[in-house]
Amino acid sequence: MRKIKNPWCHAEGFDCFGCSPDNPLGVHMEFYEDGEEVVSCWQPSKHYQGWVNTLHGGILSTLIDEISAWVVFRKLQTTGVTSRLEVRFRRPIMTTEPRIILRAKLLETQRQIAVLEVKVYDSKNQLCTEGRVNYYTFPADKAAEMGFEHCELIGEEVDIL
């Protein structure tokens, strides 16, 4: 798989909670393309807990929302906004996990709605959470107006898993 270059890093005012490497309160996600999927490896910490040692469901929902946006950036070469987010919590994710893996893919597009599927696995590769996201995609001129040009891969093949 190859790393996806963050198309927003040099944009004025960029401080995304999900993907800005410079947001001191953010989750600092990075993304990789693995065939039809976008993948992110993320390390939970106690700062993101709800119940003791348990990852907060809102943070987990944020991770699902963020990776969905990156599928749209990379696979559809546009941007937009989440219009629906459904999350199924199957088993808790502990904040003591060394890492979790998120895998997301585009299921279909219906006019300007992209339908995405996200699966979240713990470090033992157990499926813990599933998400289904509807993402309203902007036409190219609107995406350009918002500063989106393109989303490309960088670097050589890597194995983050």
Side-chain angles (χ1 to χ4, degrees):
M1 67 183 78
R2 287 181 58 199
K3 187 171 185 177
I4 302 172
K5 181 179 179 182
N6 190 324
W8 309 105
C9 270
H10 300 295
E12 185 177 332
F14 172 70
D15 200 31
C16 178
F17 180 78
C19 66
S20 172
D22 301 320
N23 183 329
L25 302 175
V27 293
H28 307 137
M29 293 177 78
E30 293 183 340
F31 304 92
Y32 297 81
E33 184 176 74
D34 187 16
E36 294 302 311
E37 293 183 319
V38 170
V39 177
S40 184
C41 194
W42 187 76
Q43 184 176 1
S45 77
K46 68 179 184 174
H47 302 292
Y48 300 116
Q49 70 179 322
W51 184 245
V52 176
N53 291 332
T54 305
L55 186 61
H56 191 286
I59 295 296
L60 191 49
S61 297
T62 298
L63 300 175
I64 289 169
D65 184 48
E66 186 70 18
I67 196 169
S68 296
W70 280 74
V71 171
V72 171
F73 299 160
R74 178 68 191 143
K75 299 300 185 178
L76 299 178
Q77 292 294 313
T78 190
T79 189
V81 293
T82 301
S83 60
R84 177 182 217 131
L85 172 66
E86 297 174 12
V87 180
R88 170 98 193 263
F89 301 99
R90 294 186 168 278
R91 62 186 322 125
I93 295 177
M94 308 316 289
T95 56
T96 55
E97 283 285 326
R99 70 175 184 179
I100 62 174
I101 304 293
L102 294 96
R103 291 186 163 277
K105 66 182 177 181
L106 178 67
L107 295 178
E108 63 180 307
T109 55
Q110 303 167 357
R111 288 184 260 166
Q112 286 185 260
I113 301 292
V115 180
L116 305 121
E117 173 186 79
V118 181
K119 294 187 177 187
V120 184
Y121 301 89
D122 65 13
S123 61
K124 297 174 192 79
N125 205 33
Q126 297 177 97
L127 178 63
C128 297
T129 309
E130 294 176 284
R132 188 169 177 103
V133 180
N134 289 5
Y135 208 87
Y136 178 81
T137 60
F138 294 149
D141 59 333
K142 174 70 174 172
E145 186 180 302
M146 296 187 71
F148 182 83
E149 294 177 15
H150 59 278
C151 185
E152 59 191 30
L153 300 175
I154 57 172
E156 301 295 321
E157 289 279 328
V158 294
D159 182 10
I160 63 164
L161 307 175

